[in-house]
Amino acid sequence: QLQLVESGGGLVQPGGSLRLSCAASGFTLANYAIGWFRRAPGKEREGVACMSRSGGRSNYVDSVKGRFTISRDNAKNTVYLQMNSLKPEDTAVYYCGASLNPLDFCSMNVSPYNYWDQGTQVTVSS
């Protein structure tokens, strides 16, 4: 069974940190570009960060630049999103996605992604 399983969400105070993990099973994540997305209440899903297959290219939405870091550990078949200096506006359900892309490129759009996890809630509140 091909799936992504996410962990690491929860409740954190403003200024705090969380690390989200997304583990793949049934397929080799090293062959895929990866992306982290989020959906806040009343809003559409937006791209937060993405990384190419090689790890050589990454992109971030402007609102998280300098605070969030995307990474991957192909040996563990897992990707991560380190989130620092969290703000209340970061509150959302976070999703990871995997995109089978022959180019060393990643997209911040939803459509190229083939696999998704179930999502995890991140709440930033005092």
Side-chain angles (χ1 to χ4, degrees), residues 51-103:
M51 178 173 278
S52 63
R53 289 188 304 162
S54 72
R57 297 187 179 190
S58 60
N59 291 310
Y60 296 88
V61 67
D62 287 345
S63 60
V64 307
K65 285 181 180 177
R67 300 189 297 122
F68 289 13
T69 303
I70 187 172
S71 61
R72 64 192 305 159
D73 185 338
N74 290 335
K76 295 183 178 180
N77 222 25
T78 301
V79 300
Y80 305 96
L81 184 68
Q82 178 67 43
M83 305 185 292
N84 298 328
S85 302
L86 283 161
K87 304 175 180 180
E89 51 264 44
D90 294 318
T91 296
V93 177
Y94 282 72
Y95 303 86
C96 66
S99 171
L100 186 61
N101 191 330
L103 303 176

